[in-house]
PDB file of all heavy atoms in Angstrom:
ATOM      1  N   ALA A  13      98.414  85.240 103.053  1.00  0.00           N
ATOM      2  CA  ALA A  13      97.697  85.606 104.284  1.00  0.00           C
ATOM      3  C   ALA A  13      97.368  87.097 104.360  1.00  0.00           C
ATOM      4  O   ALA A  13      96.327  87.489 104.904  1.00  0.00           O
ATOM      5  CB  ALA A  13      98.531  85.190 105.498  1.00  0.00           C
ATOM      6  N   ASP A  14      98.241  87.949 103.788  1.00  0.00           N
ATOM      7  CA  ASP A  14      98.004  89.399 103.860  1.00  0.00           C
ATOM      8  C   ASP A  14      97.131  89.915 102.718  1.00  0.00           C
ATOM      9  O   ASP A  14      96.968  91.130 102.556  1.00  0.00           O
ATOM     10  CB  ASP A  14      99.329  90.164 103.909  1.00  0.00           C
ATOM     11  CG  ASP A  14     100.196  89.927 102.665  1.00  0.00           C
ATOM     12  OD1 ASP A  14      99.681  89.394 101.651  1.00  0.00           O
ATOM     13  OD2 ASP A  14     101.393  90.290 102.704  1.00  0.00           O
ATOM     14  N   GLY A  15      96.606  89.006 101.906  1.00  0.00           N
ATOM     15  CA  GLY A  15      95.715  89.416 100.819  1.00  0.00           C
ATOM     16  C   GLY A  15      96.385  89.586  99.467  1.00  0.00           C
ATOM     17  O   GLY A  15      95.713  89.841  98.460  1.00  0.00           O
ATOM     18  N   THR A  16      97.712  89.471  99.396  1.00  0.00           N
ATOM     19  CA  THR A  16      98.421  89.542  98.114  1.00  0.00           C
ATOM     20  C   THR A  16      98.068  88.323  97.257  1.00  0.00           C
ATOM     21  O   THR A  16      98.075  87.195  97.753  1.00  0.00           O
ATOM     22  CB  THR A  16      99.937  89.611  98.344  1.00  0.00           C
ATOM     23  OG1 THR A  16     100.254  90.862  98.986  1.00  0.00           O
ATOM     24  CG2 THR A  16     100.712  89.503  97.037  1.00  0.00           C
ATOM     25  N   VAL A  17      97.769  88.595  95.987  1.00  0.00           N
ATOM     26  CA  VAL A  17      97.401  87.529  95.055  1.00  0.00           C
ATOM     27  C   VAL A  17      98.529  87.337  94.032  1.00  0.00           C
ATOM     28  O   VAL A  17      98.976  88.294  93.395  1.00  0.00           O
ATOM     29  CB  VAL A  17      96.086  87.860  94.311  1.00  0.00           C
ATOM     30  CG1 VAL A  17      95.755  86.770  93.277  1.00  0.00           C
ATOM     31  CG2 VAL A  17      94.941  88.015  95.306  1.00  0.00           C
ATOM     32  N   LEU A  18      98.994  86.097  93.878  1.00  0.00           N
ATOM     33  CA  LEU A  18     100.003  85.756  92.885  1.00  0.00           C
ATOM     34  C   LEU A  18      99.456  84.658  91.980  1.00  0.00           C
ATOM     35  O   LEU A  18      98.617  83.857  92.405  1.00  0.00           O
ATOM     36  CB  LEU A  18     101.282  85.264  93.561  1.00  0.00           C
ATOM     37  CG  LEU A  18     101.951  86.232  94.547  1.00  0.00           C
ATOM     38  CD1 LEU A  18     103.130  85.551  95.235  1.00  0.00           C
ATOM     39  CD2 LEU A  18     102.396  87.506  93.847  1.00  0.00           C
ATOM     40  N   GLY A  19      99.914  84.642  90.749  1.00  0.00           N
ATOM     41  CA  GLY A  19      99.406  83.607  89.859  1.00  0.00           C
ATOM     42  C   GLY A  19     100.023  83.659  88.482  1.00  0.00           C
ATOM     43  O   GLY A  19     101.040  84.320  88.246  1.00  0.00           O
ATOM     44  N   GLN A  20      99.378  82.972  87.578  1.00  0.00           N
ATOM     45  CA  GLN A  20      99.849  82.869  86.210  1.00  0.00           C
ATOM     46  C   GLN A  20      98.651  82.848  85.268  1.00  0.00           C
ATOM     47  O   GLN A  20      97.693  82.105  85.490  1.00  0.00           O
ATOM     48  CB  GLN A  20     100.667  81.582  86.040  1.00  0.00           C
ATOM     49  CG  GLN A  20     101.296  81.396  84.671  1.00  0.00           C
ATOM     50  CD  GLN A  20     102.276  80.235  84.675  1.00  0.00           C
ATOM     51  OE1 GLN A  20     103.453  80.386  84.933  1.00  0.00           O
ATOM     52  NE2 GLN A  20     101.769  79.066  84.373  1.00  0.00           N
ATOM     53  N   LYS A  21      98.725  83.667  84.244  1.00  0.00           N
ATOM     54  CA  LYS A  21      97.675  83.726  83.232  1.00  0.00           C
ATOM     55  C   LYS A  21      98.181  83.039  81.969  1.00  0.00           C
ATOM     56  O   LYS A  21      99.241  83.387  81.446  1.00  0.00           O
ATOM     57  CB  LYS A  21      97.298  85.177  82.919  1.00  0.00           C
ATOM     58  CG  LYS A  21      96.158  85.327  81.930  1.00  0.00           C
ATOM     59  CD  LYS A  21      95.826  86.810  81.736  1.00  0.00           C
ATOM     60  CE  LYS A  21      94.611  87.006  80.846  1.00  0.00           C
ATOM     61  NZ  LYS A  21      94.803  86.514  79.486  1.00  0.00           N
ATOM     62  N   VAL A  22      97.447  82.035  81.495  1.00  0.00           N
ATOM     63  CA  VAL A  22      97.827  81.290  80.300  1.00  0.00           C
ATOM     64  C   VAL A  22      96.991  81.790  79.125  1.00  0.00           C
ATOM     65  O   VAL A  22      95.761  81.810  79.182  1.00  0.00           O
ATOM     66  CB  VAL A  22      97.611  79.776  80.504  1.00  0.00           C
ATOM     67  CG1 VAL A  22      97.978  79.015  79.235  1.00  0.00           C
ATOM     68  CG2 VAL A  22      98.444  79.275  81.683  1.00  0.00           C
ATOM     69  N   THR A  23      97.684  82.179  78.043  1.00  0.00           N
ATOM     70  CA  THR A  23      97.022  82.773  76.889  1.00  0.00           C
ATOM     71  C   THR A  23      97.531  82.130  75.606  1.00  0.00           C
ATOM     72  O   THR A  23      98.741  81.955  75.446  1.00  0.00           O
ATOM     73  CB  THR A  23      97.324  84.289  76.817  1.00  0.00           C
ATOM     74  OG1 THR A  23      97.123  84.886  78.095  1.00  0.00           O
ATOM     75  CG2 THR A  23      96.446  84.989  75.785  1.00  0.00           C
ATOM     76  N   PRO A  24      96.642  81.776  74.687  1.00  0.00           N
ATOM     77  CA  PRO A  24      97.127  81.238  73.410  1.00  0.00           C
ATOM     78  C   PRO A  24      97.760  82.331  72.550  1.00  0.00           C
ATOM     79  O   PRO A  24      97.471  83.516  72.716  1.00  0.00           O
ATOM     80  CB  PRO A  24      95.848  80.709  72.740  1.00  0.00           C
ATOM     81  CG  PRO A  24      94.733  81.500  73.355  1.00  0.00           C
ATOM     82  CD  PRO A  24      95.159  81.813  74.754  1.00  0.00           C
ATOM     83  N   LEU A  25      98.639  81.925  71.640  1.00  0.00           N
ATOM     84  CA  LEU A  25      99.175  82.854  70.651  1.00  0.00           C
ATOM     85  C   LEU A  25      98.029  83.364  69.780  1.00  0.00           C
ATOM     86  O   LEU A  25      97.019  82.693  69.596  1.00  0.00           O
ATOM     87  CB  LEU A  25     100.207  82.153  69.755  1.00  0.00           C
ATOM     88  CG  LEU A  25     101.390  81.453  70.435  1.00  0.00           C
ATOM     89  CD1 LEU A  25     102.314  80.872  69.374  1.00  0.00           C
ATOM     90  CD2 LEU A  25     102.138  82.414  71.336  1.00  0.00           C
ATOM     91  N   ASP A  26      98.201  84.563  69.230  1.00  0.00           N
ATOM     92  CA  ASP A  26      97.178  85.114  68.337  1.00  0.00           C
ATOM     93  C   ASP A  26      97.150  84.391  66.996  1.00  0.00           C
ATOM     94  O   ASP A  26      96.095  84.153  66.413  1.00  0.00           O
ATOM     95  CB  ASP A  26      97.437  86.607  68.084  1.00  0.00           C
ATOM     96  CG  ASP A  26      97.119  87.463  69.305  1.00  0.00           C
ATOM     97  OD1 ASP A  26      96.407  86.983  70.205  1.00  0.00           O
ATOM     98  OD2 ASP A  26      97.609  88.616  69.355  1.00  0.00           O
ATOM     99  N   ARG A  27      98.345  84.059  66.507  1.00  0.00           N
ATOM    100  CA  ARG A  27      98.401  83.481  65.157  1.00  0.00           C
ATOM    101  C   ARG A  27      99.634  82.582  65.037  1.00  0.00           C
ATOM    102  O   ARG A  27     100.730  82.963  65.435  1.00  0.00           O
ATOM    103  CB  ARG A  27      98.457  84.604  64.115  1.00  0.00           C
ATOM    104  CG  ARG A  27      98.321  84.107  62.670  1.00  0.00           C
ATOM    105  CD  ARG A  27      98.415  85.274  61.687  1.00  0.00           C
ATOM    106  NE  ARG A  27      97.239  86.137  61.707  1.00  0.00           N
ATOM    107  CZ  ARG A  27      97.281  87.447  61.920  1.00  0.00           C
ATOM    108  NH1 ARG A  27      98.448  88.054  62.150  1.00  0.00           N
ATOM    109  NH2 ARG A  27      96.165  88.171  61.902  1.00  0.00           N
ATOM    110  N   ALA A  28      99.452  81.388  64.502  1.00  0.00           N
ATOM    111  CA  ALA A  28     100.554  80.450  64.304  1.00  0.00           C
ATOM    112  C   ALA A  28     100.726  80.165  62.822  1.00  0.00           C
ATOM    113  O   ALA A  28      99.745  80.087  62.070  1.00  0.00           O
ATOM    114  CB  ALA A  28     100.298  79.143  65.052  1.00  0.00           C
ATOM    115  N   GLY A  29     101.988  79.999  62.400  1.00  0.00           N
ATOM    116  CA  GLY A  29     102.294  79.674  61.013  1.00  0.00           C
ATOM    117  C   GLY A  29     102.771  78.237  60.913  1.00  0.00           C
ATOM    118  O   GLY A  29     103.608  77.799  61.705  1.00  0.00           O
ATOM    119  N   LEU A  30     102.241  77.511  59.964  1.00  0.00           N
ATOM    120  CA  LEU A  30     102.578  76.101  59.779  1.00  0.00           C
ATOM    121  C   LEU A  30     103.227  75.898  58.418  1.00  0.00           C
ATOM    122  O   LEU A  30     102.603  76.158  57.388  1.00  0.00           O
ATOM    123  CB  LEU A  30     101.302  75.253  59.907  1.00  0.00           C
ATOM    124  CG  LEU A  30     101.360  73.794  59.458  1.00  0.00           C
ATOM    125  CD1 LEU A  30     102.486  73.062  60.135  1.00  0.00           C
ATOM    126  CD2 LEU A  30     100.020  73.106  59.711  1.00  0.00           C
ATOM    127  N   TYR A  31     104.496  75.475  58.422  1.00  0.00           N
ATOM    128  CA  TYR A  31     105.177  75.148  57.170  1.00  0.00           C
ATOM    129  C   TYR A  31     104.988  73.664  56.886  1.00  0.00           C
ATOM    130  O   TYR A  31     105.300  72.812  57.717  1.00  0.00           O
ATOM    131  CB  TYR A  31     106.673  75.479  57.244  1.00  0.00           C
ATOM    132  CG  TYR A  31     107.337  75.353  55.877  1.00  0.00           C
ATOM    133  CD1 TYR A  31     107.572  76.482  55.109  1.00  0.00           C
ATOM    134  CD2 TYR A  31     107.674  74.122  55.341  1.00  0.00           C
ATOM    135  CE1 TYR A  31     108.126  76.389  53.843  1.00  0.00           C
ATOM    136  CE2 TYR A  31     108.230  74.009  54.077  1.00  0.00           C
ATOM    137  CZ  TYR A  31     108.450  75.150  53.332  1.00  0.00           C
ATOM    138  OH  TYR A  31     108.993  75.049  52.065  1.00  0.00           O
ATOM    139  N   VAL A  32     104.506  73.349  55.689  1.00  0.00           N
ATOM    140  CA  VAL A  32     104.295  71.967  55.277  1.00  0.00           C
ATOM    141  C   VAL A  32     105.063  71.729  53.978  1.00  0.00           C
ATOM    142  O   VAL A  32     104.847  72.439  53.003  1.00  0.00           O
ATOM    143  CB  VAL A  32     102.792  71.679  55.051  1.00  0.00           C
ATOM    144  CG1 VAL A  32     102.587  70.243  54.600  1.00  0.00           C
ATOM    145  CG2 VAL A  32     102.005  71.953  56.334  1.00  0.00           C
ATOM    146  N   PRO A  33     105.970  70.755  53.943  1.00  0.00           N
ATOM    147  CA  PRO A  33     106.662  70.449  52.686  1.00  0.00           C
ATOM    148  C   PRO A  33     105.652  70.080  51.594  1.00  0.00           C
ATOM    149  O   PRO A  33     104.591  69.511  51.880  1.00  0.00           O
ATOM    150  CB  PRO A  33     107.535  69.252  53.055  1.00  0.00           C
ATOM    151  CG  PRO A  33     107.675  69.318  54.536  1.00  0.00           C
ATOM    152  CD  PRO A  33     106.394  69.887  55.041  1.00  0.00           C
ATOM    153  N   GLY A  34     106.002  70.406  50.358  1.00  0.00           N
ATOM    154  CA  GLY A  34     105.118  70.100  49.238  1.00  0.00           C
ATOM    155  C   GLY A  34     105.837  69.327  48.155  1.00  0.00           C
ATOM    156  O   GLY A  34     107.012  68.968  48.284  1.00  0.00           O
ATOM    157  N   GLY A  35     105.140  69.064  47.074  1.00  0.00           N
ATOM    158  CA  GLY A  35     105.739  68.303  45.978  1.00  0.00           C
ATOM    159  C   GLY A  35     105.882  66.841  46.356  1.00  0.00           C
ATOM    160  O   GLY A  35     104.973  66.224  46.896  1.00  0.00           O
ATOM    161  N   LYS A  36     107.076  66.290  46.107  1.00  0.00           N
ATOM    162  CA  LYS A  36     107.307  64.871  46.371  1.00  0.00           C
ATOM    163  C   LYS A  36     107.202  64.544  47.857  1.00  0.00           C
ATOM    164  O   LYS A  36     106.684  63.508  48.245  1.00  0.00           O
ATOM    165  CB  LYS A  36     108.683  64.456  45.840  1.00  0.00           C
ATOM    166  CG  LYS A  36     108.779  64.410  44.324  1.00  0.00           C
ATOM    167  CD  LYS A  36     110.161  63.988  43.878  1.00  0.00           C
ATOM    168  CE  LYS A  36     110.247  63.964  42.352  1.00  0.00           C
ATOM    169  NZ  LYS A  36     111.619  63.621  41.897  1.00  0.00           N
ATOM    170  N   ALA A  37     107.753  65.419  48.700  1.00  0.00           N
ATOM    171  CA  ALA A  37     107.736  65.191  50.151  1.00  0.00           C
ATOM    172  C   ALA A  37     106.497  65.833  50.760  1.00  0.00           C
ATOM    173  O   ALA A  37     106.542  66.935  51.283  1.00  0.00           O
ATOM    174  CB  ALA A  37     108.997  65.760  50.795  1.00  0.00           C
ATOM    175  N   SER A  38     105.362  65.174  50.649  1.00  0.00           N
ATOM    176  CA  SER A  38     104.118  65.704  51.173  1.00  0.00           C
ATOM    177  C   SER A  38     103.669  64.860  52.355  1.00  0.00           C
ATOM    178  O   SER A  38     103.523  63.643  52.233  1.00  0.00           O
ATOM    179  CB  SER A  38     103.044  65.707  50.080  1.00  0.00           C
ATOM    180  OG  SER A  38     103.390  66.628  49.055  1.00  0.00           O
ATOM    181  N   TYR A  39     103.427  65.527  53.478  1.00  0.00           N
ATOM    182  CA  TYR A  39     103.138  64.808  54.699  1.00  0.00           C
ATOM    183  C   TYR A  39     101.850  65.299  55.350  1.00  0.00           C
ATOM    184  O   TYR A  39     101.872  66.238  56.165  1.00  0.00           O
ATOM    185  CB  TYR A  39     104.307  64.946  55.680  1.00  0.00           C
ATOM    186  CG  TYR A  39     105.618  64.414  55.137  1.00  0.00           C
ATOM    187  CD1 TYR A  39     106.679  65.258  54.890  1.00  0.00           C
ATOM    188  CD2 TYR A  39     105.774  63.068  54.865  1.00  0.00           C
ATOM    189  CE1 TYR A  39     107.883  64.776  54.404  1.00  0.00           C
ATOM    190  CE2 TYR A  39     106.972  62.567  54.363  1.00  0.00           C
ATOM    191  CZ  TYR A  39     108.026  63.431  54.143  1.00  0.00           C
ATOM    192  OH  TYR A  39     109.211  62.940  53.653  1.00  0.00           O
ATOM    193  N   PRO A  40     100.712  64.683  55.037  1.00  0.00           N
ATOM    194  CA  PRO A  40      99.467  65.073  55.708  1.00  0.00           C
ATOM    195  C   PRO A  40      99.538  64.884  57.217  1.00  0.00           C
ATOM    196  O   PRO A  40      98.926  65.635  57.976  1.00  0.00           O
ATOM    197  CB  PRO A  40      98.402  64.159  55.071  1.00  0.00           C
ATOM    198  CG  PRO A  40      99.166  63.092  54.356  1.00  0.00           C
ATOM    199  CD  PRO A  40     100.474  63.660  53.989  1.00  0.00           C
ATOM    200  N   SER A  41     100.308  63.871  57.664  1.00  0.00           N
ATOM    201  CA  SER A  41     100.443  63.653  59.103  1.00  0.00           C
ATOM    202  C   SER A  41     101.059  64.865  59.787  1.00  0.00           C
ATOM    203  O   SER A  41     100.722  65.190  60.928  1.00  0.00           O
ATOM    204  CB  SER A  41     101.290  62.400  59.377  1.00  0.00           C
ATOM    205  OG  SER A  41     102.588  62.527  58.797  1.00  0.00           O
ATOM    206  N   SER A  42     101.971  65.544  59.087  1.00  0.00           N
ATOM    207  CA  SER A  42     102.618  66.732  59.641  1.00  0.00           C
ATOM    208  C   SER A  42     101.598  67.853  59.865  1.00  0.00           C
ATOM    209  O   SER A  42     101.703  68.613  60.829  1.00  0.00           O
ATOM    210  CB  SER A  42     103.731  67.201  58.695  1.00  0.00           C
ATOM    211  OG  SER A  42     104.502  68.130  59.250  1.00  0.00           O
ATOM    212  N   VAL A  43     100.628  67.951  58.979  1.00  0.00           N
ATOM    213  CA  VAL A  43      99.578  68.958  59.133  1.00  0.00           C
ATOM    214  C   VAL A  43      98.806  68.709  60.428  1.00  0.00           C
ATOM    215  O   VAL A  43      98.585  69.617  61.234  1.00  0.00           O
ATOM    216  CB  VAL A  43      98.618  68.947  57.926  1.00  0.00           C
ATOM    217  CG1 VAL A  43      97.526  69.997  58.120  1.00  0.00           C
ATOM    218  CG2 VAL A  43      99.383  69.190  56.629  1.00  0.00           C
ATOM    219  N   LEU A  44      98.391  67.464  60.629  1.00  0.00           N
ATOM    220  CA  LEU A  44      97.633  67.117  61.835  1.00  0.00           C
ATOM    221  C   LEU A  44      98.436  67.400  63.092  1.00  0.00           C
ATOM    222  O   LEU A  44      97.938  67.997  64.054  1.00  0.00           O
ATOM    223  CB  LEU A  44      97.235  65.635  61.810  1.00  0.00           C
ATOM    224  CG  LEU A  44      96.377  65.147  60.637  1.00  0.00           C
ATOM    225  CD1 LEU A  44      96.064  63.658  60.815  1.00  0.00           C
ATOM    226  CD2 LEU A  44      95.095  65.939  60.480  1.00  0.00           C
ATOM    227  N   MET A  45      99.716  66.971  63.091  1.00  0.00           N
ATOM    228  CA  MET A  45     100.540  67.065  64.292  1.00  0.00           C
ATOM    229  C   MET A  45     100.889  68.501  64.672  1.00  0.00           C
ATOM    230  O   MET A  45     101.153  68.800  65.836  1.00  0.00           O
ATOM    231  CB  MET A  45     101.831  66.267  64.098  1.00  0.00           C
ATOM    232  CG  MET A  45     101.626  64.776  63.941  1.00  0.00           C
ATOM    233  SD  MET A  45     101.100  64.005  65.488  1.00  0.00           S
ATOM    234  CE  MET A  45     100.927  62.276  64.967  1.00  0.00           C
ATOM    235  N   ASN A  46     100.903  69.392  63.706  1.00  0.00           N
ATOM    236  CA  ASN A  46     101.241  70.790  63.982  1.00  0.00           C
ATOM    237  C   ASN A  46     100.012  71.674  64.188  1.00  0.00           C
ATOM    238  O   ASN A  46     100.005  72.551  65.048  1.00  0.00           O
ATOM    239  CB  ASN A  46     102.101  71.370  62.856  1.00  0.00           C
ATOM    240  CG  ASN A  46     103.539  70.875  62.902  1.00  0.00           C
ATOM    241  OD1 ASN A  46     104.391  71.439  63.573  1.00  0.00           O
ATOM    242  ND2 ASN A  46     103.813  69.802  62.178  1.00  0.00           N
ATOM    243  N   ALA A  47      98.980  71.451  63.393  1.00  0.00           N
ATOM    244  CA  ALA A  47      97.812  72.332  63.455  1.00  0.00           C
ATOM    245  C   ALA A  47      96.902  72.005  64.636  1.00  0.00           C
ATOM    246  O   ALA A  47      96.354  72.912  65.276  1.00  0.00           O
ATOM    247  CB  ALA A  47      97.027  72.255  62.148  1.00  0.00           C
ATOM    248  N   ILE A  48      96.702  70.727  64.928  1.00  0.00           N
ATOM    249  CA  ILE A  48      95.744  70.354  65.975  1.00  0.00           C
ATOM    250  C   ILE A  48      96.166  70.863  67.355  1.00  0.00           C
ATOM    251  O   ILE A  48      95.345  71.450  68.071  1.00  0.00           O
ATOM    252  CB  ILE A  48      95.480  68.832  65.962  1.00  0.00           C
ATOM    253  CG1 ILE A  48      94.681  68.465  64.700  1.00  0.00           C
ATOM    254  CG2 ILE A  48      94.728  68.391  67.218  1.00  0.00           C
ATOM    255  CD1 ILE A  48      94.478  66.983  64.477  1.00  0.00           C
ATOM    256  N   PRO A  49      97.439  70.697  67.786  1.00  0.00           N
ATOM    257  CA  PRO A  49      97.814  71.268  69.086  1.00  0.00           C
ATOM    258  C   PRO A  49      97.595  72.778  69.158  1.00  0.00           C
ATOM    259  O   PRO A  49      97.221  73.305  70.207  1.00  0.00           O
ATOM    260  CB  PRO A  49      99.305  70.935  69.210  1.00  0.00           C
ATOM    261  CG  PRO A  49      99.509  69.776  68.314  1.00  0.00           C
ATOM    262  CD  PRO A  49      98.557  69.942  67.186  1.00  0.00           C
ATOM    263  N   ALA A  50      97.824  73.478  68.039  1.00  0.00           N
ATOM    264  CA  ALA A  50      97.598  74.924  68.015  1.00  0.00           C
ATOM    265  C   ALA A  50      96.124  75.239  68.252  1.00  0.00           C
ATOM    266  O   ALA A  50      95.778  76.147  69.022  1.00  0.00           O
ATOM    267  CB  ALA A  50      98.066  75.504  66.679  1.00  0.00           C
ATOM    268  N   LYS A  51      95.256  74.482  67.604  1.00  0.00           N
ATOM    269  CA  LYS A  51      93.818  74.708  67.764  1.00  0.00           C
ATOM    270  C   LYS A  51      93.347  74.322  69.167  1.00  0.00           C
ATOM    271  O   LYS A  51      92.510  74.981  69.766  1.00  0.00           O
ATOM    272  CB  LYS A  51      93.039  73.941  66.692  1.00  0.00           C
ATOM    273  CG  LYS A  51      93.092  74.612  65.325  1.00  0.00           C
ATOM    274  CD  LYS A  51      92.453  75.994  65.391  1.00  0.00           C
ATOM    275  CE  LYS A  51      92.440  76.777  64.149  1.00  0.00           C
ATOM    276  NZ  LYS A  51      91.835  78.131  64.299  1.00  0.00           N
ATOM    277  N   VAL A  52      93.886  73.228  69.701  1.00  0.00           N
ATOM    278  CA  VAL A  52      93.543  72.822  71.068  1.00  0.00           C
ATOM    279  C   VAL A  52      93.981  73.899  72.063  1.00  0.00           C
ATOM    280  O   VAL A  52      93.287  74.184  73.036  1.00  0.00           O
ATOM    281  CB  VAL A  52      94.193  71.464  71.416  1.00  0.00           C
ATOM    282  CG1 VAL A  52      94.054  71.162  72.907  1.00  0.00           C
ATOM    283  CG2 VAL A  52      93.566  70.341  70.587  1.00  0.00           C
ATOM    284  N   ALA A  53      95.123  74.524  71.791  1.00  0.00           N
ATOM    285  CA  ALA A  53      95.630  75.595  72.660  1.00  0.00           C
ATOM    286  C   ALA A  53      94.749  76.836  72.610  1.00  0.00           C
ATOM    287  O   ALA A  53      94.835  77.691  73.489  1.00  0.00           O
ATOM    288  CB  ALA A  53      97.057  75.968  72.255  1.00  0.00           C
TER     289      ALA A  53
END
């Protein structure tokens, strides 16, 4: 009422690192599940 403004600013991270197992234990599904939410964010 007195003109004070309160709130929240949502900001994505600048850079995310994705570790993906390689060799025998290779999981393409893991790439999708980790990278896509980061890009959506």
Side-chain angles (χ1 to χ4, degrees):
D14 61 14
T16 294
V17 177
L18 302 175
Q20 184 170 270
K21 183 178 185 297
V22 179
T23 312
L25 305 182
D26 288 342
R27 188 181 288 125
L30 167 54
Y31 189 99
V32 179
K36 289 180 181 177
S38 293
Y39 301 114
S41 59
S42 191
V43 179
L44 301 181
M45 295 290 179
N46 285 273
I48 290 174
K51 283 298 179 182
V52 170

